[in-house]
């Protein structure tokens, strides 16, 4: 179920004795989200002392995988299996995925609820593509970016695998 309390209570019905550990887990997820909100808001002017003082738990889990942190929190195997069931949204197993990335995604999923587009998730991609092109953007699929061109610390273009060069100020790639 969606909602932290409802989710924790449901976990308790499946695997009794996990109320405290699940509350700790969600508090950690919340702190990770707040820490990343801070990092994203400061535009590169990171103050490590702020992270250490306001987000100490974030600092202690940031370099670890989801699996590592769930084990450290003494979360049972059955509960870990339930919590980590959404790993495929981020494309890596619990042993490989960053705890912070997963925690934020999972926290938002439970607190904001899942949304399913009427025409499926591919419809989101098509809508984004359509709007991007309407705004003058160019998209190259199945093409590798071989080099991102930079002058004076600013993006000026991208060189693709076919040696074609496109001038631009912004690049979005996956």
């Amino acid at each position: 179920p969606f909602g932290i309390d409802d989710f924790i209570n449901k976990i308790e019905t499946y695997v009794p004795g996990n109320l405290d550990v699940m509350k700790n887990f969600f508090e950690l997820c919340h702190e990770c989200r707040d820490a990343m909100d801070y990092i994203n808001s400061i535009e590169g002017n990171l103050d490590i002392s702020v992270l250490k003082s306001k987000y100490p738990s974030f600092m202690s889990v940031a370099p670890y995988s989801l699996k590592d942190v769930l084990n450290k929190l003494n979360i049972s195997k059955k509960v870990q299996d339930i919590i980590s069931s959404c790993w495929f949204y981020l494309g890596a197993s619990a042993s490989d995925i960053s705890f912070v990335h997963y925690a934020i995604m999972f926290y938002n999923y439970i607190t904001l609820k899942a949304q399913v587009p009427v025409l499926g998730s591919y419809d989101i991609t098509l809508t984004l593509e359509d709007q991007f092109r309407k705004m003058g953007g160019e998209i190259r699929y199945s093409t590798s970016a071989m080099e991102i061109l930079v002058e004076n610390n600013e993006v000026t273009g991208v060189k693709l695998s076919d040696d074609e060069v496109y001038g631009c100020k912004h690049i979005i790639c996956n």
Side-chain angles (χ1 to χ4, degrees), residues 41-165:
S41 73
I42 56 162
E43 299 180 2
N45 299 313
L46 183 65
D47 184 344
I48 198 75
S49 65
V50 171
L51 284 176
K52 287 179 179 178
S53 65
K54 291 184 78 172
Y55 312 106
S57 296
F58 165 81
M59 294 295 287
S60 68
V61 300
Y64 296 102
S65 73
L66 172 62
K67 184 83 168 164
D68 290 338
V69 175
L70 295 181
N71 285 336
K72 187 71 172 171
L73 292 174
N74 294 317
I75 295 177
S76 73
K77 171 83 168 88
K78 187 170 183 178
V79 175
Q80 284 191 34
D81 289 345
I82 294 167
I83 290 172
S84 62
S85 64
C86 297
W87 68 265
F88 58 89
Y89 287 118
L90 299 177
S93 69
S95 297
D96 295 325
I97 196 145
S98 154
F99 174 78
V100 170
H101 289 119
Y102 192 87
I104 294 168
M105 184 272 311
F106 190 77
Y107 185 86
N108 287 340
Y109 180 77
I110 296 300
T111 59
L112 301 176
K113 303 180 181 177
Q115 304 293 318
V116 179
V118 173
L119 299 175
S121 61
Y122 186 62
D123 190 46
I124 294 172
T125 304
L126 294 177
T127 301
L128 287 171
E129 177 189 35
D130 182 54
Q131 289 302 309
F132 184 74
R133 289 182 191 275
K134 283 180 182 175
M135 294 171 66
E138 291 184 45
I139 299 174
R140 297 292 179 258
Y141 291 110
S142 302
T143 304
S144 296
M146 303 308 290
E147 183 179 357
I148 295 175
L149 307 175
V150 178
E151 291 179 20
N152 299 321
N153 290 325
E154 293 187 20
V155 170
T156 60
V158 62
K159 181 178 178 182
L160 303 181
S161 55
D162 61 3
D163 289 331
E164 201 163 348
V165 174

